[in-house]
Amino acid sequence: SNNVTLSPLGGTALYLGAVGQTATVAGNLTVTSATGSIFNTGPVNVTGDAFFQSGSGDILMTNASNNFGTVKFAGKIVSITEAGHLTLATGSIATGAATFRTAGGNIDIVNRGGIIRLVSTGLFNASGAITLPKLIQVTGTLTVNAPGTKDLSKLSYLEDLGGKIPENSGTGTYLKPFDAP
């Protein structure tokens, strides 16, 4: 389909995709659930923007074959996996633990106004590079893992990361926050 908007009623979980089949949206995908969680059963392919919002529920889009143009989210626990490059949009929030993974690409952020707020922990695990500009704030521990460059040089360790030193793993070059000890 072209642009798709899904807004289920009630607190039941919403499952996107089907086992063995790819759900494809040629434009933008907006999925909103007031209280239920959002999961994916099969791969989801969105050429445009994908927006997942679950007020008090979780957003677990963890199929390794997912492909999104950009991803914006608002939920409790958030876990997003992308087959290629993962581009996160500002204006996103996770009130619980947040995990972002790529099976074959980089992780970066696009500015759509505002910041990305991770109220708990943030784990970024890329098969390429990770670039986190001054558009993200993490209250808990930030962990970055990649074989490519992990560039946090635009972030403030005091302001954006709450005075917590990021955990760095992976073999790539690490550029720490500009004011980190």
Side-chain angles (χ1 to χ4, degrees):
S1 186
N2 209 359
N3 295 315
V4 175
T5 300
L6 301 171
S7 297
L9 300 174
T12 57
L14 176 63
Y15 292 86
L16 302 176
V19 176
Q21 296 180 352
T22 301
T24 301
V25 177
N28 300 323
L29 172 65
T30 301
V31 181
T32 304
S33 176
T35 57
S37 295
I38 301 168
F39 304 101
N40 74 305
T41 304
V44 176
N45 187 347
V46 180
T47 58
D49 295 339
F51 177 45
F52 303 101
Q53 180 175 0
S54 179
S56 59
D58 301 330
I59 300 166
L60 305 175
M61 299 298 292
T62 58
N63 188 294
S65 296
N66 288 334
N67 279 293
F68 307 108
T70 62
V71 177
K72 184 175 178 181
F73 56 87
K76 189 175 174 186
I77 295 172
V78 174
S79 186
I80 309 285
T81 301
E82 166 101 26
H85 298 294
L86 177 57
T87 301
L88 301 172
T90 57
S92 296
I93 183 169
T95 58
T99 303
F100 307 100
R101 291 187 169 89
T102 65
N106 303 329
I107 298 175
D108 58 12
I109 295 174
V110 62
N111 189 354
R112 299 280 175 85
I115 62 169
I116 294 175
R117 274 189 358 144
L118 304 180
V119 178
S120 183
T121 58
L123 168 62
F124 292 78
N125 190 350
S127 62
I130 298 171
T131 304
L132 301 180
K134 192 168 179 64
L135 296 170
I136 186 168
Q137 291 181 344
V138 183
T139 304
T141 302
L142 171 66
T143 303
V144 290
N145 180 11
T149 300
K150 296 156 291 200
D151 186 355
L152 281 60
S153 65
K154 302 283 191 275
L155 292 176
S156 167
Y157 138 82
L158 292 172
E159 295 172 13
D160 302 319
L161 303 179
K164 293 189 173 100
I165 300 290
E167 294 182 10
N168 168 40
S169 57
T171 57
T173 302
Y174 176 66
L175 303 173
K176 67 181 183 174
F178 68 86
D179 58 349

